[in-house]
C-alpha cells in the first residue's frame, strides 16, 4: 500500500506487526483469518468499485474547491435557521479540538466531568430562558423534538383519556412547515390523529390530549397564548411550545404562561448553519414529567467523599435498555453542539445575550418602519426578528426575487405572494441598506441611506421581566483569556481519543483524521442556509451526490437518504420506508417485526415508535441466531410479518454463518430484511448488506465512516435501500414532497458529511478493505491475549470473533465479589475509558479496538487488563484486603492521593502509578467514585441547585 495515502496514517497496525499478531492468534496470514471468520458465501467476489484514493493534499484541494461552488448569499429566510457568529475562542478550542470532538457519551462519570459541567451549563441556559425547571442536554433537531413532545404528551394522558381513546393532537397552522411534516410522519404509526387549525378559533373536544404552538410563529408574529393555554389545561390537554431560544431574552418565556413542554433549536447560540445541521435542539418541561422526558439529563451529585460532581441522571431511561418498552428511540444527542451553545451563553453572559437580541429586534423595527413607508404592508403587529409583508399592487414577488438575487440576497416567499425576512446576529448596516435598496427599487421609490440603527427595546405586551443566566459562571468569562482558560480547565477533566484507546464495543471509537475535520471550518460549508435555491448549493449537492454513490457501492444498494440525524433515527426511517412500501402493495396489515436477542438495543424501540409489534427470536449458546426458532416464528406469523431487524455482525461480536439462509426465510414469508449497520466496520470491502440479501440498512457515519462521536453527538444515520424501496425514501417540503420526512433539514446534518466523504475518498477501495481486515485482526488479537484470564463469551463457528468481542466478567462476582463496573472504574486509574458495560450480555465488557490503534496501544491495554486481573487474584488469594483494595476504591482522585492522610492498606503508588506507562502519562482524575443513587434521589439539573 502506498505510504502517501491516508490509510498508512489512519490504520494503526503496520506490516511489521502482522507476524506477531497472527502468531498469537494462531493463523498464518491475515487472509486466512478473514476466511475463517466471514462466511464464504457472503464474501464479495470483486473489490469495491470506487475511484482511486486521493492523497491528503489532493483531498484538501478538492474539498476546498467544492466549497467555492456554494454561493454564500445573505439569507433572510429564517424558518428555524439563522446566521450567527461563532466566537473564535469556542470554534478553536471546542469545535476544532479533538479532546472535545473525539470523546464518548459521558456514561463513565468520573472521567467526563468537563463535558458534564459544560452540558449542565447548557441545561441551565435552556431552563433560564424558557423558565422551565427541567431541561435535557439536547435532542437531534427542532422538528424531531416536536415529535418527541407529541409522543410524551400522548404517554402523559390521564387514565380517563386513555380509556376514552383520546388520540388527537392539535397543531397550530402557523407552526414551521418542517415541524408539521415530521409530526405527520411520526403521528400515524403511533395512532395519533393530527388536527391543524387556528389556535384562536380551535374548540377543544374530549379526544384532544395535547397541542403544539410556535412562539414567535412561522409568520414571525408574537402571539399571546395565555388564554389558549388556560383553555387547554381546563380541557386536560398538555401544551408544547416551539420557541425561538434567542427571542426569549426579550419575550415572556413559555414557562411563565404555564406551558407544559418547551422545545426548539439552539442553533442561534453560535452554531453555524451547516446547510441545516448539526445543531442542538433543546427540550424542557415540568419537573413532575422527568420520568417521561426523552433524551439524557445531566444532574449534580457527590462522590464517595462528598465532593460535588456531575453525572448522567436517571440512566434507567436509556432507551436501548428498555427495548420494546421504550417511550422513545433516542440513543444519541447533539452533545458537541450543546456544549458550544452553552459556552456561547457563558461567553456573552446575560447582558451580551440581551444586547444581541435587542439589536436584532431594533433592526427589524427599523426595517418595518422604512419598508412600510415605501408602501409595503407589514402583517405582524407584534414581532421579534421576522417581518411578513404584503406587496403593493405595483410590485410582484417575482420582481422582488429577481432584484434580491441580483444582489445575492435570499428572502422568504409565501405561497400567497407575501414576502418575509428574518434578521439575525450577523446583520449589519451594509445589510440593512441593501435590504432597503431591494425593496425601494421594486417599489420605484427613493429612500435615504440609513447610517445607524436606533436602539429600540421590545415594548410588546409579552415583554420579559424576569432575570436569567444569574449564576456566576455566566458573569466570569467574558474576555477571551478567561474563556480560553475555562474551556481548558474543563477539557483537562475528560478522557478522549486524544489520551488513549476507547475500546467500546459497537461504538467504533476510531481515529477521526484531522485532514477530514479541517474542512468543516471552511465558511463555504459553515455558512449555508438549508432552504436556499439548489443552484446556490452546488458544492453541497456535488458532495452529497458523490458520497451517496460511494455508500451505495459500499452497501450494495440502489438508493440513499441522508436525512436522519442519528443511527436510531435511521432505524426509524428504514422501518418507515418498509411500512410505506407495504402500504403501497396492499400489505399494510403486516405489523410484526422479528428481532433476534443479539440485535442492537434501539431496534425494538424504533420498531415500536414506528407502530410495529416486536417478537424476539432466540440465540444459541454460541451467540448465533437460533435459525430454527427464527424460522418457526417467521412461518407462524407469515401473514403478518413485516420485517426482520438484524445486526450484522451481531452485537455478540460474530458473523452469523447462516445469514443468507435467514434472509431467504424472511423473504419467503413476504417480509423485508432490515440490517442494522452499527457494525459496518466489520463488513466494508469484504461483504455488504445488499450482497447478503438485506433490503434496508442504516449507517452510522460517526462509527464506521470516521465522523467524531462528539461526546454523544453529532451523528448521521443515512439509510440505504434496494431498488424497490427507492420511491419511499424521505422527501422534503423544499422539493415539494414531504413524504416520510424525518428531520427538519432536507439533508439532516449535512455539515458533517465532508468527514465521511473524505474518509472514503482518501482510503479508497483498498484502504477501506484493509481497515476492515485490521479491525477484525486487532479484535482477535485482544481476544487471544485475554481469553485465558477473563474468557470470551462468544466466538464464531470456527472459534474466532469478529471486529469486536465480549470479555466475560460474570464469574468474578461469585468468586471475589467484583463486578464489571469495578473493572471499569479501575481502568480509569490506568488512563483508559472502559469498554461497553453489561451490553449485550449482563456482567461483561464488550471491546472493539478498531483499525486505528497501534500494536503498542493494544499491548498496553492487554498489560493493563492483566494487571487488573492480578489485582483481582490478590483479593481472591487473600493477598489484598477484600474490603479495602484498589478495585472497590477506584478511581483514586488526585485530591485523595495528595492529601496528608492516606487511609488505605495499600500504597499510593499502587493506587495511581501501578505500571510504567501510567507513570509516563498519568491522567489525573478529578473525583472519586460517584454516588449514582444519591444523584437520582436528589435530581439537580441546573447550576443553581445546592448539595448539602
Amino acid at each position: 500500500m502506498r505510504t502517501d495515502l491516508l490509510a498508512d496514517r489512519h490504520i494503526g497496525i503496520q506490516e511489521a506487526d502482522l507476524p506477531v499478531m497472527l502468531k498469537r492468534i494462531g493463523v498464518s496470514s491475515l487472509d486466512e483469518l478473514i476466511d475463517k471468520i466471514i462466511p464464504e458465501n457472503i464474501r464479495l467476489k470483486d473489490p469495491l468499485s470506487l475511484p482511486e484514493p486521493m492523497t491528503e493534499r489532493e483531498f484538501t484541494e478538492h474539498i476546498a474547491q467544492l466549497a467555492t461552488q456554494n454561493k454564500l448569499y445573505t439569507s433572510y429566510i429564517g424558518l428555524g435557521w439563522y446566521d450567527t457568529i461563532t466566537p473564535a475562542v469556542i470554534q478553536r478550542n471546542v469545535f476544532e479540538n479533538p479532546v472535545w470532538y473525539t470523546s464518548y457519551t459521558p456514561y463513565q462519570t468520573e472521567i467526563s466531568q468537563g463535558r458534564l459541567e459544560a452540558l449542565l451549563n447548557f441545561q441551565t441556559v435552556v431552563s433560564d430562558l424558557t423558565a422551565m425547571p427541567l431541561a435535557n442536554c439536547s435532542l437531534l433537531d427542532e422538528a424531531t423534538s416536536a415529535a418527541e413532545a407529541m409522543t410524551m404528551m400522548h404517554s402523559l394522558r390521564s387514565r380517563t383519556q386513555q380509556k376514552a381513546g383520546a388520540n388527537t393532537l392539535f397543531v397550530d397552522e402557523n407552526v414551521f412547515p418542517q415541524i408539521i411534516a415530521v409530526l405527520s410522519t411520526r403521528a400515524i404509526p403511533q395512532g395519533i390523529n393530527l388536527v391543524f387549525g387556528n389556535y384562536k378559533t380551535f374548540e377543544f373536544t374530549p379526544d384532544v390530549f395535547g397541542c403544539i404552538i410556535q412562539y414567535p410563529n412561522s409568520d414571525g408574529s408574537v402571539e399571546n397564548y395565555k388564554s389558549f393555554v388556560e383553555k387547554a389545561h381546563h380541557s386536560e390537554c398538555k401544551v408544547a411550545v416551539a420557541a425561538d431560544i434567542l427571542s426569549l431574552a426579550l419575550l415572556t418565556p413559555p414557562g411563565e404562561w404555564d406551558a407544559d413542554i418547551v422545545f426548539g433549536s439552539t442553533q442561534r447560540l453560535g452554531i453555524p448553519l451547516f446547510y441545516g445541521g448539526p445543531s442542538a435542539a433543546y427540550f424542557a418541561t415540568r419537573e413532575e414529567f422527568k420520568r417521561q422526558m426523552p433524551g439524557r439529563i445531566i444532574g449534580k451529585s457527590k462522590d464517595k467523599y462528598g465532593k460535588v460532581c456531575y453525572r448522567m441522571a436517571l440512566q434507567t431511561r436509556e432507551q436501548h435498555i428498555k427495548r420494546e418498552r421504550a417511550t422513545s428511540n433516542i440513543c444519541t444527542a447533539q452533545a458537541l453542539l450543546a456544549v458550544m451553545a452553552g459556552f456561547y451563553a457563558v461567553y456573552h453572559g446575560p447582558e451580551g445575550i440581551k444586547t444581541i437580541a435587542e439589536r436584532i429586534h431594533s433592526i427589524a423595527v427599523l426595517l418595518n418602519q422604512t419598508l412600510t413607508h415605501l408602501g409595503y404592508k407589514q402583517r405582524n403587529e407584534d414581532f421579534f426578528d421576522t417581518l411578513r409583508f404584503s406587496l403593493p399592487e405595483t410590485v410582484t414577488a417575482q420582481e422582488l426575487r429577481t432584484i434580491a438575487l441580483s444582489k445575492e440576497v435570499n428572502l422568504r416567499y409565501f405561497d400567497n405572494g407575501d414576502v418575509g425576512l428574518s434578521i439575525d446576529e450577523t446583520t449589519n448596516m451594509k445589510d440593512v441598506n441593501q435590504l432597503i435598496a431591494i425593496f425601494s427599487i421594486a417599489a420605484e421609490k427613493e429612500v435615504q441611506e440609513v447610517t445607524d440603527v436606533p436602539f429600540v427595546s421590545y415594548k410588546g405586551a409579552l415583554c420579559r421581566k424576569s432575570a436569567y443566566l444569574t449564576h456566576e459562571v455566566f458573569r466570569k468569562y467574558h474576555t477571551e483569556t478567561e474563556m480560553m482558560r475555562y474551556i481548558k480547565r474543563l477539557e483537562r477533566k475528560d478522557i478522549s481519543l486524544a489520551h488513549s484507546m476507547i475500546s467500546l464495543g459497537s461504538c467504533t471509537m476510531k481515529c477521526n483524521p484531522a485532514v477530514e475535520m479541517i474542512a468543516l471550518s471552511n465558511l463555504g460549508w459553515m455558512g449555508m442556509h438549508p432552504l436556499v435555491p439548489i443552484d446556490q448549493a452546488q458544492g453541497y449537492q456535488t458532495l452529497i451526490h458523490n458520497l451517496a454513490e460511494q455508500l451505495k457501492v459500499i452497501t450494495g444498494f440502489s438508493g440513499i437518504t441522508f436525512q436522519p440525524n442519528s443511527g436510531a433515527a435511521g432505524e426509524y426511517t428504514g422501518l418507515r420506508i418498509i411500512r410505506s412500501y407495504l402500504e403501497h402493495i396492499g400489505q399494510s396489515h403486516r405489523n410484526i417485526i422479528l428481532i433476534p436477542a443479539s440485535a442492537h438495543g434501539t431496534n425494538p424501540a424504533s420498531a415500536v415508535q414506528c407502530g410495529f409489534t416486536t417478537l424476539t427470536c432466540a440465540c444459541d449458546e454460541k451467540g448465533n441466531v437460533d435459525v430454527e426458532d427464527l424460522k418457526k416464528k417467521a412461518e407462524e406469523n407469515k401473514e403478518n410479518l413485516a420485517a426482520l431487524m438484524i445486526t450484522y455482525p451481531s452485537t455478540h461480536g460474530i458473523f452469523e454463518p447462516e445469514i443468507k439462509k435467514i434472509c431467504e426465510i424472511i423473504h419467503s414469508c413476504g417480509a423485508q430484511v432490515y440490517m442494522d449497520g452499527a457494525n459496518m466496520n466489520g463488513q466494508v470491502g469484504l461483504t455488504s448488506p445488499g450482497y447478503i440479501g438485506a433490503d434496508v440498512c442504516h449507517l452510522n457515519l460517526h462509527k464506521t465512516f470516521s465522523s467524531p462521536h462528539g461526546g454523544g453527538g453529532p451523528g448521521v444515520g443515512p439509510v440505504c435501500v434496494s431498488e424497490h424501496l427507492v420511491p419511499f425514501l424521505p422527501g422534503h417540503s423544499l422539493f415539494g414532497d414531504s413524504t416520510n420526512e424525518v428531520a427538519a433539514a432536507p439533508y439532516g446534518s449535512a455539515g458533517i458529511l465532508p468527514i465521511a466523504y473524505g474518509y472514503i475518498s482518501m482510503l479508497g477501495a483498498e484502504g477501506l478493505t484493509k481497515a476492515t481486515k485490521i479491525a477484525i485482526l486487532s479484535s482477535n488479537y485482544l481476544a487471544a491475549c485475554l481469553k485465558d484470564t477473563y474468557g470470551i463469551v462468544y466466538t464464531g463457528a470456527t472459534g474466532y470473533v469478529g471486529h469486536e468481542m465480549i470479555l466475560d466478567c460474570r464469574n468474578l462476582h461469585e468468586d471475589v465479589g467484583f463486578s464489571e463496573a469495578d473493572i471499569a472504574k479501575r481502568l480509569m486509574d490506568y488512563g483508559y475509558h472502559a469498554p461497553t458495560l453489561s451490553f449485550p450480555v449482563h456482567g461483561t465488557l464488550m471491546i472493539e479496538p478498531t483499525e486505528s490503534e497501534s500494536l503498542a496501544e493494544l499491548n498496553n491495554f492487554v498489560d493493563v487488563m492483566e494487571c487488573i486481573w492480578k489485582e483481582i487474584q490478590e483479593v481472591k488469594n487473600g493477598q489484598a484486603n477484600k474490603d479495602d483494595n484498589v478495585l472497590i476504591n477506584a478511581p483514586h482522585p488526585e485530591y485523595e492521593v495528595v492529601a496528608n492522610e492516606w487511609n488505605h492498606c495499600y500504597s499510593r503508588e499502587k493506587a495511581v502509578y501501578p505500571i510504567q506507562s501510567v507513570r509516563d502519562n498519568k491522567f489525573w482524575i478529578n473525583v472519586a467514585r460517584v454516588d449514582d443513587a444519591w444523584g437520582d434521589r436528589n435530581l439537580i439539573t441546573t447550576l443553581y441547585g445546592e448539595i448539602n
Side-chain angles (χ1 to χ4, degrees):
M1 182 173 286
R2 289 166 51 187
T3 58
D4 62 339
L5 295 176
L6 177 65
D8 190 59
R9 303 293 186 184
H10 173 75
I11 298 173
I13 303 302
Q14 304 299 304
E15 288 296 322
D17 301 327
L18 292 178
V20 175
M21 299 177 73
L22 294 169
K23 182 178 180 181
R24 186 62 184 264
I25 295 167
V27 293
S28 60
S29 70
L30 184 55
D31 286 338
E32 180 190 348
L33 177 66
I34 300 302
D35 289 342
K36 287 180 178 293
I37 292 171
I38 302 182
E40 191 277 333
N41 67 338
I42 65 167
R43 290 287 298 275
L44 295 176
K45 307 305 179 189
D46 301 303
L48 295 173
S49 181
L50 294 170
E52 285 297 306
M54 301 180 192
T55 64
E56 293 187 35
R57 175 59 180 263
E58 287 169 343
F59 176 74
T60 300
E61 293 173 347
H62 169 69
I63 201 71
Q65 192 276 329
L66 278 185
T68 65
Q69 296 178 24
N70 290 324
K71 302 174 184 176
L72 293 186
Y73 287 13
T74 305
S75 292
Y76 301 96
I77 300 169
L79 278 172
W81 293 277
Y82 310 88
D83 207 355
T84 185
I85 299 170
T86 307
V89 65
I90 296 174
Q91 178 174 327
R92 187 68 162 174
N93 293 289
V94 180
F95 182 67
E96 298 173 352
N97 183 346
V99 175
W100 288 97
Y101 68 68
T102 70
S103 55
Y104 184 60
T105 306
Y107 291 113
Q108 293 299 319
T109 302
E110 295 83 1
I111 50 173
S112 307
Q113 287 296 297
R115 262 170 301 130
L116 288 164
E117 182 175 335
L119 290 171
L120 196 75
N121 290 347
F122 173 84
Q123 288 180 182
T124 304
V125 173
V126 171
S127 285
D128 275 12
L129 289 175
T130 61
M132 300 297 287
L134 180 65
N136 69 20
C137 66
S138 80
L139 291 179
L140 300 178
D141 68 6
E142 185 172 35
T144 54
S145 297
E148 295 292 343
M150 172 181 68
T151 302
M152 178 174 155
M153 289 189 289
H154 192 250
S155 70
L156 286 168
R157 292 174 301 165
S158 67
R159 289 185 178 179
T160 302
Q161 288 175 315
Q162 292 180 44
K163 190 174 181 179
N167 67 342
T168 296
L169 177 77
F170 169 71
V171 182
D172 184 69
E173 60 194 8
N174 274 315
V175 168
F176 286 152
Q178 66 271 21
I179 292 179
I180 290 174
V182 172
L183 286 172
S184 299
T185 298
R186 294 278 291 266
I188 297 172
Q190 296 181 46
I192 296 173
N193 176 45
L194 297 182
V195 172
F196 304 97
N198 189 320
Y199 81 95
K200 294 177 182 178
T201 58
F202 180 72
E203 294 295 330
F204 288 93
T205 53
D207 64 325
V208 180
F209 67 84
C211 353
I212 294 182
I213 51 181
Q214 189 106 28
Y215 182 70
N217 71 17
S218 181
D219 289 347
S221 176
V222 177
E223 299 287 314
N224 190 335
Y225 294 114
K226 187 172 183 181
S227 62
F228 173 78
V229 173
E230 289 173 354
K231 284 173 61 180
H233 287 162
H234 183 73
S235 300
E236 291 190 61
C237 289
K238 303 292 188 293
V239 179
V241 182
D244 182 316
I245 193 78
L246 188 56
S247 76
L248 302 183
L250 305 183
L251 304 180
T252 303
E256 293 181 9
W257 35 269
D258 216 20
D260 298 291
I261 299 170
V262 188
F263 65 89
S265 171
T266 60
Q267 185 266 318
R268 298 195 85 154
L269 303 184
I271 309 302
L273 287 163
F274 285 132
Y275 203 36
S279 59
Y282 73 86
F283 195 101
T285 189
R286 300 174 184 271
E287 191 164 358
E288 58 262 36
F289 301 153
K290 61 190 176 186
R291 294 288 174 181
Q292 286 79 30
M293 188 163 84
R296 297 167 176 150
I297 304 171
I298 307 305
K300 285 187 178 181
S301 189
K302 55 185 180 181
D303 72 6
K304 62 186 289 186
Y305 299 118
K307 182 177 180 180
V308 175
C309 57
Y310 311 97
R311 61 181 286 273
M312 283 177 61
L314 306 178
Q315 286 192 33
T316 54
R317 297 175 322 106
E318 285 295 312
Q319 303 304 331
H320 64 273
I321 297 172
K322 287 187 173 183
R323 295 177 67 86
E324 63 277 349
R325 294 179 293 104
T327 55
S328 167
N329 73 334
I330 289 294
C331 186
T332 54
Q334 295 281 18
L336 180 66
L337 295 312
V339 164
M340 292 174 63
F343 279 142
Y344 178 92
V346 169
Y347 193 47
H348 287 292
E351 295 83 6
I353 295 291
K354 186 176 182 180
T355 298
I356 292 167
E358 287 180 329
R359 185 173 181 278
I360 288 170
H361 179 65
S362 297
I363 292 173
V365 169
L366 172 65
L367 289 169
N368 180 40
Q369 294 170 346
T370 305
L371 302 190
T372 300
H373 180 71
L374 289 172
Y376 299 90
K377 184 179 179 181
Q378 215 279 112
R379 305 185 98 184
N380 297 328
E381 292 182 15
D382 198 355
F383 56 86
F384 165 57
D385 65 343
T386 297
L387 309 172
R388 176 172 178 169
F389 291 98
S390 296
L391 308 184
E393 291 184 2
T394 57
V395 180
T396 68
Q398 185 55 51
E399 290 170 340
L400 200 59
R401 185 197 300 259
T402 300
I403 296 167
L405 289 175
S406 72
K407 295 185 178 296
E408 300 188 346
V409 167
N410 293 314
L411 303 172
R412 181 182 174 191
Y413 302 97
F414 292 84
D415 291 340
N416 72 339
D418 287 358
V419 174
L421 57 90
S422 295
I423 304 306
D424 61 50
E425 181 187 6
T426 69
T427 308
N428 57 31
M429 289 309 306
K430 179 182 175 183
D431 298 323
V432 170
N433 282 303
Q434 187 180 56
L435 279 170
I436 293 172
I438 291 167
F439 282 86
S440 64
I441 291 170
E444 297 182 344
K445 293 182 179 180
E446 291 188 9
V447 65
Q448 189 173 356
E449 187 174 280
V450 177
T451 57
D452 192 20
V453 177
F455 172 80
V456 179
S457 59
Y458 177 76
K459 298 184 176 68
L462 290 165
C463 180
R464 180 167 190 151
K465 297 179 175 60
S466 56
Y468 50 86
L469 306 184
T470 58
H471 191 274
E472 65 173 358
V473 76
F474 301 110
R475 301 184 178 277
K476 292 171 64 175
Y477 306 111
H478 298 167
T479 68
E480 181 168 338
T481 304
E482 289 301 317
M483 189 66 193
M484 175 181 65
R485 289 171 181 163
Y486 177 58
I487 293 171
K488 191 68 177 179
R489 188 157 72 249
L490 298 192
E491 173 192 317
R492 288 200 301 267
K493 299 177 182 180
D494 281 11
I495 274 187
S496 71
L497 277 172
H499 298 90
S500 56
M501 174 174 71
I502 298 179
S503 61
L504 289 148
S506 198
C507 287
T508 319
M509 298 291 291
K510 65 173 66 177
C511 173
N512 313 125
V515 65
E516 300 163 12
M517 303 302 297
I518 288 172
L520 270 61
S521 295
N522 187 314
L523 188 60
W525 302 117
M526 297 172 79
M528 179 70 63
H529 193 287
L531 304 182
V532 300
I534 293 296
D535 64 344
Q536 293 177 25
Q538 286 306 296
Y540 263 113
Q541 290 297 315
T542 301
L543 182 147
I544 290 167
H545 170 79
N546 290 353
L547 179 57
E549 293 304 307
Q550 291 171 337
L551 292 176
K552 285 191 286 185
V553 168
I554 289 168
T555 60
F557 283 125
S558 301
I560 187 170
T561 176
F562 289 101
Q563 206 171 106
N565 283 306
S566 76
E571 291 175 16
Y572 177 89
T573 304
L575 292 172
R576 191 72 190 88
I577 291 167
I578 289 173
R579 178 176 280 280
S580 295
Y581 168 72
L582 292 174
E583 291 169 353
H584 177 73
I585 63 172
Q587 297 283 304
S588 58
H589 64 278
R590 292 180 176 270
N591 68 335
I592 293 176
I593 302 288
L594 197 57
I595 304 178
S598 60
H600 204 251
T602 50
N603 288 179
S606 295
V608 170
Q609 290 290 299
C610 205
F612 290 107
T613 299
T614 63
L615 181 63
T616 303
C617 60
C619 290
D620 62 24
E621 69 280 358
K622 293 182 177 295
N624 298 302
V625 171
D626 185 328
V627 178
E628 289 307 310
D629 183 62
L630 178 141
K631 183 177 181 180
K632 179 175 178 290
K633 288 174 178 173
E635 291 180 348
E636 286 176 348
N637 296 278
K638 183 175 182 177
E639 298 304 316
N640 295 312
L641 188 65
L644 165 76
M645 293 188 81
I646 188 166
T647 305
Y648 199 77
S650 74
T651 50
H652 288 166
I654 55 176
F655 286 83
E656 307 279 350
E658 301 292 337
I659 185 63
K660 277 215 165 188
K661 181 179 179 180
I662 289 170
C663 292
E664 290 166 2
I665 291 169
I666 299 302
H667 287 148
S668 71
C669 294
Q672 304 290 295
V673 175
Y674 180 100
M675 185 170 286
D676 186 312
N679 292 341
M680 272 297 291
N681 212 47
Q683 282 196 44
V684 178
L686 301 178
T687 185
S688 74
Y691 189 74
I692 290 168
D695 302 287
V696 188
C697 178
H698 89 266
L699 303 171
N700 298 81
L701 297 194
H702 60 286
K703 293 184 180 182
T704 301
F705 297 98
S706 196
S707 294
H709 195 280
V716 183
V719 175
C720 302
V721 298
S722 295
E723 189 171 356
H724 66 286
L725 297 176
V726 170
F728 309 100
L729 289 168
H732 195 275
S733 51
L734 173 66
F735 307 121
D737 174 21
S738 58
T739 304
N740 284 336
E741 192 167 329
V742 293
Y747 302 101
S749 294
I752 56 176
L753 295 182
I755 304 170
Y757 179 55
Y759 179 78
I760 297 170
S761 298
M762 287 184 282
L763 261 65
E766 185 181 355
L768 289 168
T769 305
K770 183 176 181 182
T772 307
K773 290 180 177 180
I774 296 299
I776 293 171
L777 170 74
S778 295
S779 179
N780 278 274
Y781 179 74
L782 289 184
C785 292
L786 298 172
K787 63 183 175 65
D788 293 332
T789 47
Y790 297 88
I792 310 303
V793 178
Y794 295 119
T795 57
T798 55
Y800 298 91
V801 299
H803 69 302
E804 61 188 3
M805 51 91 172
I806 302 175
L807 212 60
D808 201 346
C809 308
R810 292 171 294 186
N811 61 328
L812 297 179
H813 184 71
E814 294 180 8
D815 291 350
V816 202
F818 292 133
S819 69
E820 71 282 1
D822 293 317
I823 297 173
K825 302 302 183 187
R826 181 56 175 157
L827 274 166
M828 298 176 190
D829 286 328
Y830 285 86
Y832 278 103
H833 192 292
T836 304
L837 268 72
S838 288
F839 180 83
V841 180
H842 184 72
T844 64
L845 296 171
M846 184 162 60
I847 297 174
E848 180 181 359
T850 84
E851 73 275 10
S852 55
E853 298 300 339
S854 67
L855 179 57
E857 182 71 358
L858 297 182
N859 283 335
N860 191 69
F861 182 75
V862 170
D863 289 345
V864 167
M865 292 301 295
E866 288 180 343
C867 285
I868 294 175
W869 179 259
K870 290 176 183 175
E871 291 169 350
I872 293 170
Q873 302 312 304
E874 288 171 359
V875 175
K876 183 178 180 179
N877 299 331
Q879 297 170 272
N881 191 309
K882 188 174 183 179
D883 300 315
D884 183 30
N885 57 73
V886 289
L887 273 95
I888 64 170
N889 291 324
H892 297 83
E894 183 178 21
Y895 75 83
E896 178 189 22
V897 178
V898 300
N900 291 331
E901 293 186 8
W902 179 254
N903 297 316
H904 299 302
C905 60
Y906 50 89
S907 69
R908 299 176 200 247
E909 182 179 34
K910 185 175 183 65
V912 297
Y913 283 147
I915 57 176
Q916 186 60 44
S917 64
V918 179
R919 299 186 191 100
D920 294 339
N921 185 31
K922 177 67 179 175
F923 179 86
W924 285 106
I925 298 159
N926 186 250
V927 297
R929 193 174 297 202
V930 172
D931 189 335
D932 290 325
W934 191 97
D936 279 349
R937 290 194 307 271
N938 304 272
L939 189 61
I940 301 172
T941 61
T942 68
L943 293 166
Y944 305 112
E946 295 295 332
I947 292 180
N948 298 323

